[in-house]
Amino acid sequence: MSTLFVQLTDLHIREPGRLAYGRLDTAPYLREAVQTIGQLRQQPHAVVLTGDLTDFGRPAEYAHLRELLAPLTMPYYLLPGNHDDVTHMRAAFPEHGYLGEAGFVQYKIELGPICLITLDTTVAQASHGALCATRLAWLKKALDDAADRPVVIAMHHPPFKTLIGHMDKIGLLEGAPELERLVARYSNIERVICGHLHRAIDVRFGSTIASTSPAPAHQVALDLDPEAASQWTLEPGGFKVHAWDHERGLVTHQMPCGTYAGPYPFHEGGKLID
Ligand SMILES: [Fe+2]
Ligand SMILES: [Fe+2]
């Protein structure tokens, strides 16, 4: 089977029993997402988590996250979002050597033929994101090194305007045009995959497609008014399944969490069921 990986994002895990925003227990949603991943007919080779793994970046939240991710049977890779604390994240996952010991959490992973390159868009004590010259220079080198391979770039803050005003105010406020110019110079970048938005959005970006993914628990309300209120909903959550096809390249599916009736056959005896 060709290479397949899941993008799971914005889990916002609290300490056991604590509610996010005073009303949402995010843990059962992650438990259900992990179960759904385990039931995929084609098992992914890896899970890439694009940030906001916890809600406040506290050690007890990471301990809970670790427990909730434990049933995953494939390797998983962590990225920080604006709700994370990198020091506490590293401490809770000491065997995840790719996280490094200090500095930005930027790394490269081989996923079959794909080179996954991650960017750290976090800014200490801030909700918005940034890519400074240091992080972009590291990316340029990583892209040059992977020039003969299909590349997927993963990051938390999307580097594009989403039209959801309150989220754009805490978007990638530094480095987005520079990133787009850099990406435009390479024809082997299959995707830029992002979190932060808690819903699926796709845009053309440089030479590629940039997208965000739903979260397992809460979604950011779809309101394209520039002055939209900052609100969330419990519309169905989910995750992305990115499948590599050697002819087509990366093919991305969106999957809701949970179990549903079916599957049922369309045909019987070679005929469409009437
Ligand atoms: Fe988030
Ligand atoms: Fe975020």
Side-chain angles (χ1 to χ4, degrees), residues 1-269:
M1 193 189 73
S2 70
T3 299
L4 198 82
F5 71 96
V6 158
Q7 178 194 5
L8 192 56
T9 196
D10 291 271
L11 314 174
H12 290 260
I13 294 304
R14 297 292 323 256
E15 303 89 339
R18 290 288 300 269
L19 303 180
Y21 321 112
R23 63 172 83 216
L24 175 63
D25 186 0
T26 49
Y29 291 91
L30 176 54
R31 214 171 274 126
E32 191 177 52
V34 166
Q35 249 169 34
T36 307
I37 292 168
Q39 288 160 3
L40 291 173
R41 283 203 186 163
Q42 286 75 36
Q43 278 297 285
H45 294 86
V47 176
V48 179
L49 294 109
T50 45
D52 284 358
L53 311 177
T54 65
D55 212 23
F56 286 92
R58 295 173 186 148
E61 293 180 336
Y62 286 110
H64 194 197
L65 170 70
R66 202 185 154 94
E67 195 185 305
L68 291 162
L69 294 176
L72 287 175
T73 55
M74 64 292 292
Y76 60 87
Y77 299 100
L78 308 170
L79 256 180
N82 50 298
H83 285 259
D84 288 301
D85 177 299
V86 173
T87 305
H88 292 153
M89 185 172 101
R90 284 180 168 126
F93 296 90
E95 75 281 25
H96 288 234
Y98 62 88
L99 291 172
E101 290 175 359
F104 298 118
V105 180
Q106 302 202 145
Y107 53 87
K108 290 198 296 180
I109 299 288
E110 310 293 318
L111 293 178
I114 300 166
C115 179
L116 174 78
I117 300 178
T118 72
L119 292 176
D120 184 340
T121 56
T122 60
V123 176
Q125 318 302 331
S127 298
H128 71 273
L131 281 177
C132 57
T134 306
R135 283 174 270 192
L136 286 165
W138 179 91
L139 173 63
K140 184 181 181 307
K141 167 90 171 60
L143 288 172
D144 286 342
D145 291 347
D148 58 341
R149 314 265 311 272
V151 164
V152 173
I153 297 175
M155 56 201 283
H156 183 65
H157 295 82
F160 56 85
K161 189 175 178 181
T162 66
L163 306 183
I164 300 180
H166 66 94
M167 291 305 288
D168 287 336
K169 285 174 192 142
I170 57 164
L172 190 75
L173 301 188
E174 181 193 331
E178 292 84 351
L179 175 66
E180 185 160 20
R181 279 198 294 276
L182 181 60
V183 163
R185 287 160 55 186
Y186 298 83
S187 58
N188 59 325
I189 303 173
E190 288 283 332
R191 291 285 190 287
V192 177
I193 60 171
C194 314
H196 195 50
L197 258 294
H198 295 235
R199 60 184 315 111
I201 306 169
D202 307 289
V203 302
R204 180 162 59 176
F205 186 79
S207 58
T208 190
I209 299 163
S211 61
T212 60
S213 167
H218 53 303
Q219 316 304 309
V220 171
L222 178 56
D223 185 345
L224 305 185
D225 188 319
E227 299 307 320
S230 169
Q231 290 179 322
W232 55 274
T233 77
L234 279 178
E235 64 189 72
F239 53 84
K240 294 274 185 90
V241 177
H242 301 280
W244 176 256
D245 178 81
H246 71 281
E247 288 169 354
R248 179 68 268 173
L250 202 66
V251 181
T252 299
H253 293 252
Q254 186 174 318
M255 184 69 191
C257 303
T259 48
Y260 299 88
Y264 306 110
F266 286 111
H267 297 90
E268 214 168 53

